[in-house]
Amino acid sequence: MSSSTAHATLRYTTLRLGVFLGCLLLVAVLAYAGVLPEGIGRSNPLWILLLGMVLSAPLSYVLLRRQRDAMSEQLAGGVDRAQAKLSANRSMEDDAA
C-alpha cells in the first residue's frame, strides 16, 4: 500500500466532516443575519442542519474527488487481500480433505 492511500479513509472522512461543518456554520450565520429563512416555527435547528447537509453533499462530491478515489483504492486493496486469503484457506481445506 502506498503512503498516499495509507490513511485515505480517515483523511476523506475528516475532510468530509470539515466541509459539512463549514457549510453548517455558513448556513447558521446566514440564517442569523436574516439572509436565509430561519425555518418554520420551532424547526430552526433542524432546518439549519438540513440546509448544511444539502449544501455540503455536492461540494464534497466535487472538492474531495481525489481523496474519495484514494479511499476507494485503499478499500479495494483490502477486499482483494481478504479474497486472496479466503481463497488460500479454501484451497488448504480442499487439500486436507
Side-chain angles (χ1 to χ4, degrees):
M1 185 178 306
S2 70
S3 63
S4 66
T5 62
H7 301 287
T9 302
L10 180 62
R11 186 177 307 118
Y12 174 76
T13 303
T14 303
L15 289 172
R16 178 70 176 95
L17 184 62
V19 170
F20 168 69
L21 290 176
C23 288
L24 184 65
L25 181 65
L26 177 68
V27 168
V29 168
L30 290 177
Y32 180 76
V35 176
L36 293 175
E38 292 185 26
I40 300 168
R42 305 178 83 198
S43 68
N44 185 15
L46 184 60
W47 173 251
I48 290 175
L49 185 67
L50 182 63
L51 280 176
M53 287 178 7
V54 167
L55 286 175
S56 71
L59 284 174
S60 293
Y61 184 75
V62 172
L63 297 175
L64 302 179
R65 182 185 55 144
R66 189 174 25 168
Q67 289 81 7
R68 191 174 48 257
D69 290 344
M71 181 181 69
S72 174
E73 183 180 320
Q74 177 189 15
L75 293 175
V79 168
D80 290 343
R81 285 190 303 276
Q83 285 177 341
K85 188 175 182 180
L86 181 62
S87 180
N89 287 342
R90 283 187 182 158
S91 68
M92 284 179 18
E93 287 176 4
D94 290 343
D95 292 340

